Amino acid sequence: MSNHDLDWLAAQQPQRIGLDRAARERALLALVQHTRARSGERGVRLGNLFRMRTSGFAAATGAVAVAAALIAAVLVPSTAGTDVGRPSARGPQAVAHHHGAVGSPLVRLAAYVSASPAPAGDATLVARTTTTNSGNSVTVYDLYADNGEYFFSPTESGLAGQVSADNNLAGGLFAREIAAAKLAATGDVQTAAQDMADAPDPDHTISPTQTASPADLAAKQAATGIAQVGSLYDNWVWENSQDALIAGSGDPQVRAGVLQILATLPGVAVTNGTSGGQPTLVLSAGSPELGSGYTEQMTINADTGVPIQFVGGPPGGVTATIDYTVSRVTLANLASGSASSD
Amino acid sequence: MDNTYPHSRTQARLVLARDVPRLVAAPSDAELVIASVRDPDAFTELFERHWESLYRFCLDRAGAGGEDIAAEAFRVAFDRRRRYDGRYSDARPWLFGIATNLLREHFRTARREESKLKRSAALEAMPPSDDALDGLERQLLGPHLTAALQGMPAADRDALLLLAWGDLDYEQIAAALDIPLGTVRSRIYRARQRVRAYLQASEDQ
């Protein structure tokens, strides 16, 4: 096909003389105002927070022991500080080496976890420790309240102030992911998986598409030089499920629902392991979820489904490791602990 | 180091876990978008890079209304930056895709208004269709382009104009419209056949 039609179309393009600098300035101003307003909606300026927290971490490391002692006193009322990572009785002891399917170890574990009693407290505290290849590590603290609020602090002792100041950073973050997980726990797993895929932007549905074959992915990667994700839908279900698993780690219904959803993914492999004396399941995403140039693994307690560790990086390598320690606390005790320490 | 920030949605974690290099003298578009998740000001650099081409494209398609549409496209892009696929270093397809959706909505709104007026005047009760060129779009395109593009599905028209006026290639159009490459090829093939038929008919007259 000759290009005379395209040449004709190009010739029909309206001719504009110069660029309207005033229009550019108007648009740039509107964008800057918008970015600041949107950042303000979350109650934070992310850039500023990042810088502040980085320096805050350096200042706080010397006080870790003191802070840990203080927060331990704050966090352990009768209903708080419950370590949800360790079961009181042996779990289903899933024998696993399995790709996602009905009847997988994840489904069996989900059934076991969903029968767990309601957790104590009204919030889940997650200590999140990131370790890089160079050996540096940092621990920060996420507090997910059952009512949807979310508090963050680079130090455990700082959480009390965040709660008492009502510095809620959630803005709806993870609410839809957790709702999808809870829906899965009640049985409608396919609908829940779709909700999980769409959770970050429910106005735009991600269709479950046919997964490309490994050969197609490899060929496209060779042609483009970039790792290919087999399925956008699978990718988002996998990633959003991890967010739900972490944010809802204190709630057995959320954990059970996430496990049900992850069991529907075609590339997720499950293997047995141990970590710190705990029996574990290691969930590895496959090429449908992440393509061929990148891998992720989520390690969970084999009896409770509580997340223990996330590892990501190129095949055969690790870029970052994140360890999670999950416990249940009560917000009121946190806030009053802050008041008493003033 | 990474992770000294609140738990944010996955897309950022996915990309951060890939150890995207820190910003250097010439960061890619992807690096800017990723950086903007934590530092919204980084997004203004993306604006500086692509405002002119996006503005011209929107102006070509929507006339004076194109300025607002191009500006809105950057605001929408900012709101969706966590969903940006960091494997694509060039953000133009992403931005042009957002702009194309906004243009479609712009013309759809104009069509509704036009339809309302027509109905109120009891002149016509045809339901508005995305594929029809409304009065505003016809006016912007002029008689020749209108004749060439009339009757063409809106999706085909969008793909063709992204190629001819947006300077995107087939793969970039596929990314922009979030459709398979084969669909782009077939849409553009159909659209070009219509344009060629119009040109042929014009020559024959």
Side-chain angles (χ1 to χ4, degrees):
Chain A
M1 187 183 279
S2 74
N3 286 332
H4 77 280
D5 53 321
L6 293 180
D7 293 340
W8 179 80
L9 276 173
Q12 303 303 310
Q13 193 168 2
Q15 297 298 310
R16 316 269 174 211
I17 300 171
L19 182 65
D20 185 345
R21 290 190 176 278
R24 180 192 164 284
E25 295 305 319
R26 284 192 294 272
L28 180 57
L29 178 62
L31 176 64
V32 170
Q33 289 173 337
H34 181 73
T35 60
R36 293 186 175 164
R38 297 294 287 182
S39 302
E41 281 177 14
R42 291 189 294 273
V44 296
R45 284 251 5 240
L46 292 176
N48 291 340
L49 251 185
F50 176 65
R51 286 187 282 276
M52 178 185 74
R53 281 193 293 276
T54 303
S55 57
F57 167 68
T61 43
V64 162
V66 174
L70 173 64
I71 203 71
V74 170
L75 284 177
V76 190
S78 60
T79 59
T82 309
D83 183 349
V84 296
R86 294 178 186 277
S88 56
R90 297 296 295 155
Q93 290 298 298
V95 177
H97 190 87
H98 204 290
H99 284 268
V102 173
S104 77
L106 297 182
V107 175
R108 292 200 297 275
L109 177 56
Y112 179 80
V113 171
S114 66
S116 302
D122 59 8
T124 298
L125 174 63
V126 178
R128 177 162 48 106
T129 301
T130 301
T131 305
T132 62
N133 285 340
S134 60
N136 294 323
S137 71
V138 59
T139 300
V140 296
Y141 298 87
D142 300 304
L143 184 64
Y144 304 97
D146 294 346
N147 63 8
E149 293 180 330
Y150 166 61
F151 303 93
F152 168 84
S153 174
T155 65
E156 197 169 6
S157 60
L159 277 176
Q162 296 297 314
V163 174
S164 59
D166 196 23
N167 192 11
N168 170 25
L169 302 180
L173 201 63
F174 307 126
R176 288 188 294 271
E177 286 88 341
I178 287 174
K182 287 181 174 176
L183 175 61
T186 65
D188 191 353
V189 178
Q190 287 304 324
T191 299
Q194 180 68 62
D195 289 352
M196 186 66 84
D198 299 336
D201 188 359
D203 293 335
H204 296 85
T205 295
I206 300 174
S207 299
T209 53
Q210 187 67 35
T211 301
S213 72
D216 289 343
L217 293 173
K220 192 168 183 187
Q221 181 171 352
T224 62
I226 56 176
Q228 299 295 309
V229 174
S231 159
L232 184 63
Y233 175 87
D234 293 340
N235 177 257
W236 278 87
V237 171
W238 164 255
E239 300 292 353
N240 298 340
S241 292
Q242 290 183 69
D243 284 336
L245 184 62
I246 294 161
S249 53
D251 184 340
Q253 297 310 311
V254 174
R255 302 197 302 270
V258 168
L259 295 172
Q260 289 273 16
I261 290 172
L262 290 177
T264 68
L265 292 177
V268 173
V270 184
T271 55
N272 285 320
T274 58
S275 175
Q278 303 176 69
T280 63
L281 296 180
V282 181
L283 284 57
S284 302
S287 60
E289 290 79 27
L290 292 173
S292 56
Y294 176 70
T295 63
E296 286 183 355
Q297 292 181 331
M298 176 63 82
T299 300
I300 63 174
N301 184 294
D303 296 330
T304 64
V306 170
I308 296 172
Q309 186 182 70
F310 167 88
V311 174
V318 173
T319 302
T321 300
I322 305 174
D323 291 289
Y324 303 99
T325 303
V326 179
S327 60
R328 290 286 293 176
V329 298
T330 57
L331 290 175
N333 286 326
L334 274 173
S336 63
S338 172
S340 64
S341 67
D342 287 339
Chain B
M1 62 178 292
D2 287 345
N3 221 36
T4 55
Y5 50 88
H7 184 184
S8 59
R9 275 212 168 88
T10 298
Q11 191 73 347
R13 180 152 56 93
L14 174 62
V15 177
L16 289 170
R18 289 179 177 173
D19 204 17
V20 173
R22 289 184 178 280
L23 294 186
V24 290
S28 69
D29 289 352
E31 288 168 336
L32 286 174
V33 176
I34 292 158
S36 73
V37 172
R38 284 182 284 171
D39 184 359
D41 290 344
F43 209 80
T44 57
E45 173 62 23
L46 195 76
F47 173 93
E48 300 285 359
R49 289 183 184 182
H50 298 299
W51 165 255
E52 183 172 348
S53 61
L54 197 71
Y55 171 65
R56 287 187 188 283
F57 178 73
C58 292
L59 224 55
D60 287 347
R61 290 215 53 188
E67 178 187 334
D68 285 344
I69 292 169
E72 176 67 8
F74 278 99
R75 292 194 291 271
V76 171
F78 177 80
D79 291 345
R80 295 182 185 169
R81 66 198 187 285
R82 286 184 175 79
R83 295 194 65 173
Y84 185 78
D85 189 335
R87 296 167 302 152
Y88 295 97
S89 60
D90 183 358
R92 280 202 330 138
W94 181 54
L95 293 169
F96 275 73
I98 291 169
T100 298
N101 286 335
L102 292 173
L103 284 163
R104 198 176 289 176
E105 183 57 33
H106 172 72
F107 291 128
R108 193 177 292 142
T109 302
R111 201 173 300 122
R112 277 194 218 106
E113 293 303 315
E114 189 180 18
S115 178
K116 269 192 233 168
L117 287 173
K118 284 178 178 175
R119 278 199 298 272
S120 65
L123 293 175
E124 191 177 343
M126 291 287 288
S129 157
D130 272 3
D131 293 339
L133 286 167
D134 65 90
L136 172 63
E137 205 169 2
R138 285 197 298 270
Q139 187 180 351
L140 291 166
L141 291 170
H144 294 298
L145 268 175
T146 296
L149 303 179
Q150 187 68 275
M152 184 183 295
D156 294 6
R157 200 159 60 229
D158 286 342
L160 181 66
L161 292 179
L162 282 170
L163 177 75
W165 289 0
D167 290 330
L168 300 188
D169 61 27
Y170 281 52
E171 289 214 1
Q172 289 173 321
I173 293 169
L177 301 179
D178 195 22
I179 55 177
L181 183 59
T183 306
V184 172
R185 291 189 191 286
S186 59
R187 283 184 184 176
I188 290 179
Y189 178 80
R190 281 197 306 265
R192 290 184 65 182
Q193 289 291 84
R194 279 182 176 270
V195 173
R196 290 163 68 87
Y198 166 76
L199 293 176
Q200 185 64 49
S202 299
E203 286 172 11
D204 292 344
Q205 285 175 359

